[in-house]
Amino acid sequence: PSDTDFLTWFASPSAQECCSGALYKTTDGGRNWRRAIGLPDDRILDLAISSSDSDVVYAATLSNGLYMSQDGGVTFIARNGVSGADLPAGAIYRVIIDPGHVESLRVALSGRRGGVFESDDSGESWHKSGDLTDCYALDISPVNSQLLFAGCGLELYASDDGGTTWKIVFEEAAPLWAGYIRDIALHPVDPNILCFVIKDDPYHDQASGGGLQCTLDGGAIWKEVAGPLGLLLRGTAVAFHPLANPATGDHDLFYMTGGNGAYRIPFGL
């Protein structure tokens, strides 16, 4: 966030078939890379950088929990609670940091013992947020830290009280595929605008996928966006343009798929 020249990047070569545990950082646009120290030999599923302190970086893993760096991603230490017992075993698919409180973070864990877990002390201790299970996607409003969205299976939940209570805002009534909500994108300015992608399972490149659902009213009405464009693919990630502005109509989406490329979609419902 502090790199106004956009020359600082992170990259991990982890893939569906391998577990390398490697995370690399460049500060010169890719000319030179440095490997992080302290991460386990495991797949890295997500990375989060604090918007208020870019030295604070979290790495989520497939089987070894959460790791934290306080030196900008050079070295990492485990942050799974006291004796590593506060977070249940499971894959952490998403980690988010409260925009206004660097020590406050939440993670989405898959599996029956999973759900949304919250820490107010940078991962020293954890408690479960609500009674959700098997969650793969999680996001926090950049303008209202009490507003959260979680994707658990094929259901999307919303909380307007920081995760104390949750309600369903989208549910696939009769799914024709085995899939789950893989990623959520909240508009950087308007909290009523959000999108999510449904990924199929098992892993294969030519899957039809579940599409890209978007709403302009906080979840009252949803519209499938990718299908009409011929992009009903296996979605893996979605993000709004960081300079998206509802006043100018600039709502461009970046829609990433597994095995079928990445797309920039002019957003309009």
Side-chain angles (χ1 to χ4, degrees), residues 68-84:
M68 176 189 184
S69 172
Q70 294 177 292
D71 55 15
V74 178
T75 60
F76 284 83
I77 57 174
R79 274 292 185 266
N80 297 312
V82 179
S83 301

Side-chain angles (χ1 to χ4, degrees), residues 157-224:
Y157 294 84
S159 173
D160 58 8
D161 54 14
T164 302
T165 60
W166 297 85
K167 65 178 181 179
I168 294 179
V169 292
F170 178 92
E171 180 178 17
E172 184 61 43
L176 300 178
W177 60 89
Y180 52 90
I181 295 174
R182 182 60 185 90
D183 196 23
I184 305 168
L186 271 67
H187 196 280
V189 178
D190 190 338
N192 289 313
I193 301 176
L194 65 144
C195 299
F196 67 85
V197 292
I198 295 177
K199 179 182 178 182
D200 82 324
D201 199 26
Y203 176 91
H204 56 291
D205 286 348
Q206 300 302 321
S208 61
L212 173 62
Q213 298 278 347
C214 295
T215 180
L216 293 173
D217 54 16
I221 299 174
W222 293 91
K223 182 177 180 180
E224 215 299 305

Side-chain angles (χ1 to χ4, degrees), residues 92-114:
I92 299 178
Y93 277 83
R94 185 66 73 221
V95 52
I96 57 172
I97 306 171
D98 190 312
H101 302 88
V102 67
E103 70 283 354
S104 178
L105 61 148
R106 297 172 179 86
V107 297
L109 268 76
S110 63
R112 290 182 297 173
R113 297 182 60 206

Side-chain angles (χ1 to χ4, degrees), residues 222-255:
W222 293 91
K223 182 177 180 180
E224 215 299 305
V225 174
L229 298 176
L231 299 175
L232 195 59
L233 306 171
R234 186 174 59 87
T236 57
V238 60
F240 277 100
H241 192 289
L243 300 179
N245 186 346
T248 62
D250 180 12
H251 300 315
D252 280 4
L253 279 169
F254 294 94
Y255 174 48

Side-chain angles (χ1 to χ4, degrees), residues 112-116 128-135 150 152 157 166:
R112 290 182 297 173
R113 297 182 60 206
V116 176
K128 193 169 185 179
S129 176
D131 58 358
L132 308 181
T133 60
D134 197 26
C135 299
C152 307
Y157 294 84
W166 297 85

